[in-house]
């Protein structure tokens, strides 16, 4: 199997920077042992103007047979002769994808200790794969790579040049070109899509493959138009794993939705007054209301569930009464931004001991969430499809069971107060619903009754006598059901 990665440069920005990114010196040919043969890395050309790195995977066909891996979808034999006659030693497949992740592991993660500024810099890239299995043809190749910013050349390979009437094989010669991608992005695309196009893996697909897919697909897979096909094929059409991955990808997509529309509306909310003072944004009022409720509850150990880019975590850190603060989000991108916002890498030891960020999905129970005084779900529930709410409900109220839970969500009745919001539209295109005050109270009372909580409601923002506040907040307290209902 053979693959080349090329880039161009200049004296000021030499193409040989590719060697730093790949952690492989252009003047050396290196070999690496794998489970199925030997991976060689060499540079056919390397100067300031142009640099090409080649990965040659020399597959040991005997090792494939001995390990019982002359197989296709889900690990099942392609045919009776599969272990003797197959394309694995020659055509790009999951074998090459695994070799990529092993030989270029730092490059895929976007790490370059010697030149830390390089991984984030897009550069001209040209990737060639001479023989790529493509179940679905050249059209599918384009549908997979073009949405990611690649210019795609996929030339079908004839079964036999001397007999053109036999038609084309299922192989293509692939050339990918782009100017706007980083090397890490390019390698992650290949790691996922090579086995997807082959529609087979050389090893048994287990549950940890879901995590691998989400890590490699971060930043591009949640919004890819062929997401379902990619997920299904990557997981060898194992339905249980595919469903799990699709659910987690949907949560990632929701978490990474552009909040610019929300902030624009939030900033437009103010009390109707003749004062020329700049109004306090609704997002700020919401955080202030949450902090007030948390202080009143006496909580010191707090979960911010769906913490996004860390604005609430940052506000909590300013109050020493909150001794442990945990931000949880399904999006690694959002957590990375939150880490930068909080300056975790430069934070003092005592302050750093108070805060941690970790990835997690609220659709699944998580033992790490147990034992906290309070949990906050700020502007989270409206981003989920209603059928998904019971899973979140159980994960938070049934499994984690903090003493206090705060839930904020938009009040759809207030939307008529904004001239900039067209009638019938929700505040953000990614909102799956926006509830009236009555709908929110009905949901909150039902949740409280099912899980042994009491609930009270707090307006956030100007409380309009006709349509209520722009944001509604429910304060759930464990063990006070009767008292809350009586109130």
């Amino acid at each position: 199997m053979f693959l080349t990665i090329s880039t161009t440069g200049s004296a000021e920005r030499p193409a040989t920077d590719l060697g730093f990114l790949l952690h492989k010196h252009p003047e050396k040919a290196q070999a690496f042992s794998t489970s199925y043969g030997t991976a060689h890395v060499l540079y056919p050309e390397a100067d300031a103007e142009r640099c090409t790195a080649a990965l040659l995977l020399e597959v040991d066909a005997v090792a494939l047979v001995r390990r019982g891996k002359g197989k296709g979808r889900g690990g099942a034999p392609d045919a009776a002769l599969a272990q003797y006659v197959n394309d694995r030693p020659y055509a790009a497949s999951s074998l090459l994808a695994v070799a990529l992740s092993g030989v270029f592991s730092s490059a895929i993660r976007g790490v370059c200790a010697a030149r830390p500024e390089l991984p984030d810099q897009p550069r001209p890239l040209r990737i060639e794969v001479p023989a790529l299995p493509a179940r679905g043809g050249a059209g599918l190749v384009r549908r997979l790579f073009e949405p990611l910013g690649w210019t795609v050349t996929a030339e079908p390979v004839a079964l036999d040049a001397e007999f053109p009437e036999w038609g084309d094989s299922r192989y293509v010669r692939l050339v990918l070109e782009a100017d706007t991608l980083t090397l890490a992005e390019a390698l992650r695309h290949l790691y996922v899509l090579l086995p997807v196009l082959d529609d087979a893996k050389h090893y048994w697909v287990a549950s940890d493959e879901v995590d691998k897919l989400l890590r490699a697909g971060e930043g591009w897979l949640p919004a890819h138009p062929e997401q379902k096909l990619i997920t299904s094929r990557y997981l060898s059409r194992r339905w249980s794993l595919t469903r799990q991955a699709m659910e987690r990808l949907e949560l990632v997509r929701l978490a990474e939705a552009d909040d610019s529309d929300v902030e624009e509306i939030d900033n437009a909310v103010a009390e109707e007054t003749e004062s020329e003072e700049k109004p306090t944004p609704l997002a700020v009022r919401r955080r202030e209301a949450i902090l007030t409720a948390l202080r009143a509850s006496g909580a010191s150990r707090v979960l911010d569930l769906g913490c996004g880019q860390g604005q609430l975590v940052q506000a909590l850190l300013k109050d020493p009464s909150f001794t442990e603060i945990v931000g949880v989000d399904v999006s690694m991108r959002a957590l990375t931004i939150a880490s930068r916002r909080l300056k975790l890498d430069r934070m003092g030891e005592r302050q750093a001991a108070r805060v941690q960020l970790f990835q997690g999905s609220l659709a699944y129970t998580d033992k790490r969430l147990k034992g906290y005084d309070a949990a906050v779900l700020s502007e989270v529930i409206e981003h989920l499809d209603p059928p998904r709410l019971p899973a979140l409900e159980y994960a938070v109220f049934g499994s984690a069971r903090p003493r206090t839970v705060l839930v904020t969500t938009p009040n759809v009745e207030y939307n008529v107060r904004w001239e900039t919001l067209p009638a019938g539209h929700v505040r953000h295109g990614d909102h799956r619903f926006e509830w009236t005050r009555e709908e929110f109270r009905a949901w909150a009372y039902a949740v409280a009754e099912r899980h042994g909580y009491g609930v009270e409601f707090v307006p956030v923002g100007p409380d309009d006598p006709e349509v209520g506040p722009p944001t509604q907040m429910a304060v759930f307290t464990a063990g006070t059901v009767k008292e809350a209902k009586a109130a």
Side-chain angles (χ1 to χ4, degrees):
M1 301 180 192
F2 190 67
L3 175 149
T4 60
I5 304 170
S6 302
T7 188
T8 56
S10 60
E12 295 76 21
R13 192 185 181 195
T16 48
D17 283 348
L18 183 63
F20 285 100
L21 288 167
L22 293 175
H23 293 252
K24 304 293 181 288
H25 199 287
E27 295 181 5
K28 297 179 180 179
Q30 301 180 55
F32 305 86
S33 296
T34 73
S35 301
Y36 300 96
T38 304
H40 303 269
V41 178
L42 58 150
Y43 288 78
E45 54 184 346
D47 55 42
E49 286 74 33
R50 184 173 176 85
C51 185
T52 297
L55 175 64
L56 171 65
L57 181 59
E58 189 178 12
V59 177
D60 185 345
V62 175
L64 281 176
V65 175
R66 286 177 176 172
R67 294 174 65 94
K69 301 299 183 180
K71 300 180 179 181
R73 297 173 187 160
D78 282 331
L81 296 178
Q83 57 181 315
Y84 301 106
V85 182
N86 65 73
D87 63 1
R88 294 295 171 260
Y90 316 107
S93 67
S94 59
L95 287 167
L96 184 59
V98 171
L100 275 173
S101 69
V103 175
F104 300 138
S105 59
S106 296
I108 285 181
R109 291 184 286 113
V111 174
C112 182
R115 298 279 300 280
E117 77 281 1
L118 290 182
D120 293 332
Q121 297 176 358
R123 62 186 54 251
L125 293 172
R126 178 184 172 92
I127 294 174
E128 296 188 46
V129 183
L132 174 66
R135 294 182 189 271
L140 179 60
V141 178
R142 287 189 286 271
R143 297 207 314 271
L144 294 183
F145 282 102
E146 285 180 348
L148 302 176
W150 293 103
T151 299
V152 180
T153 302
E155 300 175 351
V157 177
L159 280 172
D160 192 313
E162 295 185 8
F163 299 95
E165 65 273 13
W166 288 5
D168 294 328
S169 68
R170 68 183 184 95
Y171 303 92
V172 299
R173 173 182 172 269
L174 176 67
V175 178
L176 301 173
E177 295 176 290
D179 294 323
T180 59
L181 297 173
T182 65
L183 180 64
E185 290 171 327
L187 293 175
R188 288 196 291 266
H189 296 166
L190 292 170
Y191 175 76
V192 173
L193 297 180
L194 289 181
V196 166
L197 284 164
D198 190 16
D199 199 12
K201 283 200 170 183
H202 69 280
Y203 56 88
W204 178 254
V205 174
S207 58
D208 62 339
E209 290 295 297
V210 175
D211 294 327
K212 294 179 184 178
L213 174 63
L214 265 64
R215 284 196 297 269
E218 183 182 351
W220 62 270
L221 185 54
H224 198 290
E226 298 291 345
Q227 178 201 97
K228 186 174 182 180
L229 180 144
I230 293 170
T231 303
S232 176
R233 286 193 176 192
Y234 183 88
L235 297 171
S236 294
R237 304 179 189 271
R238 293 191 61 188
W239 168 239
S240 60
L241 298 182
T242 301
R243 180 176 60 184
Q244 179 185 342
M246 293 293 291
E247 289 176 351
R248 291 175 62 181
L249 285 167
E250 177 66 3
L251 291 174
V252 171
R253 189 187 67 80
L254 298 177
E256 294 186 346
D258 184 2
D259 289 335
S260 59
D261 294 341
V262 176
E263 291 301 319
E264 182 179 348
I265 292 174
D266 283 355
N267 292 334
V269 178
E271 296 184 39
E272 295 182 2
T273 174
E274 294 181 357
S275 171
E276 294 184 358
E277 293 183 6
K278 185 177 180 179
T280 303
L282 180 56
V284 174
R285 294 189 180 206
R286 190 161 47 235
R287 285 194 290 274
E288 290 173 348
I290 290 170
L291 290 169
T292 299
L294 289 173
R295 294 182 184 116
S297 74
S300 59
R301 303 176 68 239
V302 180
L303 295 166
D304 183 6
L305 303 178
C307 65
Q309 299 178 6
Q311 292 93 333
L312 178 59
V313 173
Q314 187 176 43
L316 289 166
L317 277 170
K318 294 177 181 178
D319 188 332
S321 66
F322 300 115
T323 59
E324 185 176 350
I325 304 154
V326 176
V328 182
D329 205 280
V330 73
S331 167
M332 282 303 300
R333 177 176 177 272
L335 292 173
T336 299
I337 295 173
S339 178
R340 292 172 181 168
R341 175 190 295 275
L342 300 171
K343 299 180 174 64
L344 290 183
D345 57 335
R346 288 176 280 171
M347 190 176 286
E349 184 177 347
R350 181 176 297 180
Q351 189 80 329
R354 295 174 57 210
V355 61
Q356 59 177 315
L357 305 174
F358 63 74
Q359 185 182 33
S361 167
L362 300 182
Y364 301 94
T365 58
D366 190 334
K367 63 182 180 181
R368 296 175 298 177
L369 305 184
K370 294 183 178 181
Y372 287 85
D373 300 325
V376 179
L377 290 159
S378 179
E379 309 300 284
V380 171
I381 62 172
E382 65 272 11
H383 288 278
L384 273 68
D385 290 313
R388 303 291 305 282
L389 288 177
L392 176 145
E393 174 192 328
Y394 179 75
V396 176
F397 295 91
S399 176
R401 290 197 63 78
R403 188 175 67 243
T404 301
V405 181
L406 308 182
V407 180
T408 74
T409 192
N411 168 24
V412 71
E413 297 169 82
Y414 195 91
N415 289 357
V416 297
R417 292 291 183 257
W418 283 306
E419 295 181 0
T420 57
L421 186 64
H425 284 236
V426 293
R427 299 183 194 180
H428 186 272
D430 197 58
H431 285 184
R432 303 309 173 90
F433 61 85
E434 288 180 0
W435 278 334
T436 65
R437 288 168 290 173
E438 182 179 351
E439 289 170 329
F440 181 52
R441 287 172 180 252
W443 175 81
Y445 279 130
V447 170
E449 185 172 1
R450 282 192 289 267
H451 300 284
Y453 283 77
V455 61
E456 298 177 347
F457 299 92
V458 178
V460 179
D463 197 355
D464 189 285
E466 295 181 4
V467 297
T471 294
Q472 44 195 341
M473 180 167 70
V475 181
F476 296 85
T477 306
T480 58
V481 178
K482 294 182 179 179
E483 293 84 343
K485 283 193 170 183

